[in-house]
Amino acid sequence: MTSFETGGDAGLAGGSGPDGDFGLLSPVSASPLVAALTGDRAVLAAVLDVEAAWAAVLEEAGLAPAGSAAVVAAAADVRRYDVADLAVRAQGGGNPVIPLLADLRDQVISLDAAGSGAVRAVHASLTSQDVLDTALMLLAAGAVRTLRAELAAAATALAGLAEAHRQTLCVGRSLTQHSLPYSFGLRAAQWFAGLAAAARRLEALELPVQTGGAAGTLAAGTLLTGGAGLSGGAGPAAGTLSPFDLADRLAARLGLTPVPAPWHTNRLAVTALGDALTAVTDAAGKIAADVLFLSRPEVAELAEPRAAGRGVSSAMPQKQNPVLSVLIRSAALQSPNLAAQLHLAAANFNDERPDGAWHSEWAALRQLLRLALGAAGQLRELAEGLQVFPDAMRRNLDLAGPLLLSEAVNAAVAPLLDSPGDGAGSGRTGKQRLQAVVDETLQAPAGEQAGTYRRLLRAAVPGDLLADRRLEELLDPANYLGQAAEITRRILAAYPEYAGARLLQNGASRG
């Protein structure tokens, strides 16, 4: 069971009724928690939160009738609204804010028993894009908080694998072929580095508030703060506050980033968010791709954690499919196109309010949030329960035998064979002679290449030039790991907030 399967309220799934979208065709993100954070009901709640916060800002500034904030807050209870009905009615104005405002105003009027005129505080000086942009940033803020927690847990687990397997030998692969001796600790450290870097991008995100008004000039806000109060006369803040001050106060209330100016047609905040989410699925996808290969039966170096009912086949009882990695990879394959959609929209934000580009952002951004959240939850369980089989790693490393060390042999032995007076060289350099050994070895059947390489190498290099003991040292993969352990240590040290103090202390003592 993934960490997401136990969270949230199933009744909020998609914010829809029995015919709603529960993620049947998107299992990577089908969980109550993901739905609660990003579903239609969550979007609606974010829009209502923005409207309620704005009313509070206006009342606090003396620009709305006393008591307005409390009435609007009571009316902004998401349970008062029919999400499915709002979605259909949104077709009338092109966005869900317009029909919601009609319903919200009705609710405020019905709840305003004192007749304070609180309805005048609803949406005052704002436009639909202000509210929906801010609501989507608010929705993203909540999702990103949960996402960061999942990534931190997954990264910490990967750091633990990197530390535990610093000296675990395995084979490195290049263009599908065995390349050089490697360590599983370094492989896990590289996974960790990608995930930790993506998590840092999320931390650095700025999710801004939006209050530009109808055309992004703050014209209505200027009237409001200049004395055209909502209660029939100039409030105490008239002339002392600007619409920029109100925007900053809204940002503070919602926990969003204040901005120097409206950004209706400058969509960097949206594309930056999309890119950061895609970086998460990129990093997770790399890990999943490696696990998918390394858990194949013929490789068998890793295995996913087991759970009842997971990895089963509808036809083959013996199968244990690596479903966590499959789902993570499915998210990684979808995300780049969604991020590209955000960039395509940003490049086509014509005029001061675009005709379709803005609308095309919404679903892409929300799906990116869902995919990143789903992938992170699956990845956390994968990293925390990954099974590692060092013996299988050594078996696969030994498949290539000493031929895998030909680079090390060439570096150490070629200069010895370049010495003058060695008739065996007969005009060929030491490097050319050693390459001939490799070429002849590769003509042998795969199962015989290890022995063939040793025999031909020994014959090509006189014992007086290279003693047997030195030759065996050159052919020991443990002696050709370069700086693998130090690279692992440096990677973990570069992200101390995810590696954990204990791991860093262990690495320092080893370093």
Side-chain angles (χ1 to χ4, degrees):
M1 179 174 291
T2 69
S3 58
F4 281 165
E5 289 181 61
T6 57
D9 180 353
L12 298 183
S16 49
D19 295 324
D21 181 358
F22 296 98
L24 194 62
L25 298 182
S26 184
V28 66
S29 57
S31 84
L33 182 55
V34 173
L37 289 168
T38 64
D40 280 352
R41 192 173 295 271
V43 173
L44 177 58
V47 172
L48 290 167
D49 285 346
V50 173
E51 292 287 359
W54 183 246
V57 166
L58 296 182
E59 182 181 340
E60 180 184 59
L63 297 173
S68 297
V71 177
V72 175
D77 184 338
V78 70
R79 293 170 296 184
R80 294 178 177 273
Y81 302 89
D82 184 334
V83 184
D85 176 66
L86 287 168
V88 173
R89 289 162 57 205
Q91 296 179 27
N95 73 72
V97 177
I98 295 172
L100 175 61
L101 283 173
D103 293 356
L104 176 59
R105 288 184 172 114
D106 286 344
Q107 290 286 338
V108 169
I109 291 171
S110 69
L111 291 172
D112 190 9
S116 67
V119 70
R120 294 196 294 272
V122 175
H123 203 67
S125 81
L126 299 179
T127 193
S128 298
Q129 187 175 351
D130 292 334
V131 176
L132 193 53
D133 277 353
T134 303
L136 290 176
M137 292 295 109
L138 186 61
L139 184 85
V144 166
R145 279 192 296 272
T146 298
L147 179 57
R148 286 176 56 191
E150 293 295 316
L151 293 178
T156 299
L158 293 176
L161 288 172
E163 173 61 25
H165 293 281
R166 267 177 199 267
Q167 304 302 326
T168 300
L169 286 173
C170 64
V171 64
R173 296 174 177 89
S174 172
L175 300 180
T176 76
Q177 304 300 297
H178 288 191
S179 56
L180 290 176
Y182 208 72
S183 78
F184 181 67
L186 179 54
R187 180 169 290 143
Q190 293 289 6
W191 293 345
F192 166 86
L195 201 63
R200 275 196 182 167
R201 286 186 68 172
L202 287 176
E203 291 177 24
L205 280 175
E206 293 187 345
L207 303 176
V209 75
Q210 177 86 279
T211 60
T217 63
L218 292 168
T222 302
L223 286 176
L224 181 64
T225 55
L230 301 174
S231 55
T240 65
L241 290 177
S242 73
F244 302 105
D245 297 319
L246 298 183
D248 290 347
R249 291 186 179 193
L250 180 63
R253 278 189 173 271
L254 295 175
L256 298 177
T257 304
V259 290
W263 47 279
H264 283 168
T265 55
N266 180 350
R267 309 308 287 177
L268 183 60
V270 176
T271 57
L273 173 57
D275 291 345
L277 294 169
T278 304
V280 169
T281 58
D282 287 350
K286 158 60 179 171
I287 298 169
D290 281 351
V291 173
L292 286 167
F293 171 75
L294 296 172
S295 61
R296 287 173 179 259
E298 62 271 27
V299 181
E301 295 181 10
L302 300 175
E304 290 193 349
R306 293 195 175 188
R310 180 191 293 146
V312 297
S313 165
S314 65
M316 295 168 282
Q318 85 283 3
K319 289 196 73 180
Q320 285 293 314
N321 296 318
V323 176
L324 293 174
S325 298
V326 167
L327 294 180
I328 293 167
R329 189 162 186 259
S330 76
L333 293 173
Q334 294 175 70
S335 294
N337 282 341
L338 295 168
Q341 174 59 48
L342 297 180
H343 284 280
L344 180 63
N348 285 278
F349 257 64
N350 57 305
D351 302 324
E352 280 62 58
R353 185 72 53 79
D355 48 2
W358 176 51
H359 306 73
S360 72
E361 287 180 344
W362 312 335
L365 180 59
R366 180 168 68 170
Q367 185 63 5
L368 274 172
L369 288 168
R370 287 175 165 174
L371 291 173
L373 281 165
Q378 308 285 346
L379 180 61
R380 176 178 181 173
E381 185 175 1
L382 175 64
E384 291 179 340
L386 189 66
Q387 300 177 70
V388 181
F389 305 116
D391 290 345
M393 292 179 179
R394 183 60 196 239
R395 180 199 68 216
N396 293 332
L397 175 65
D398 289 341
L399 286 176
L403 194 59
L404 200 67
L405 281 302
S406 59
E407 181 184 71
V409 169
N410 282 8
V413 177
L416 302 178
L417 298 179
D418 283 335
S419 57
D422 184 357
S426 187
R428 292 187 300 172
T429 66
K431 186 174 182 179
Q432 289 171 330
R433 293 168 62 186
L434 291 173
Q435 184 61 50
V437 169
V438 171
D439 292 343
E440 186 173 347
T441 299
L442 292 175
Q443 301 304 312
E448 300 175 12
Q449 287 181 0
T452 300
Y453 181 68
R454 281 181 179 275
R455 177 175 55 78
L456 294 176
L457 181 62
R458 183 70 283 179
V461 185
D464 60 334
L465 293 180
L466 187 70
D468 288 344
R469 180 177 178 180
R470 175 57 181 150
L471 179 60
E472 289 306 312
E473 289 176 352
L474 288 173
L475 298 180
D476 183 351
N479 293 330
Y480 201 60
L481 287 173
Q483 297 293 322
E486 175 62 10
I487 295 170
T488 298
R489 186 197 69 77
R490 290 170 70 90
I491 288 174
L492 297 181
Y495 300 95
E497 67 271 40
Y498 300 112
R502 182 181 59 81
L503 293 177
L504 293 178
Q505 289 171 359
N506 290 344
S509 65
R510 291 171 184 267

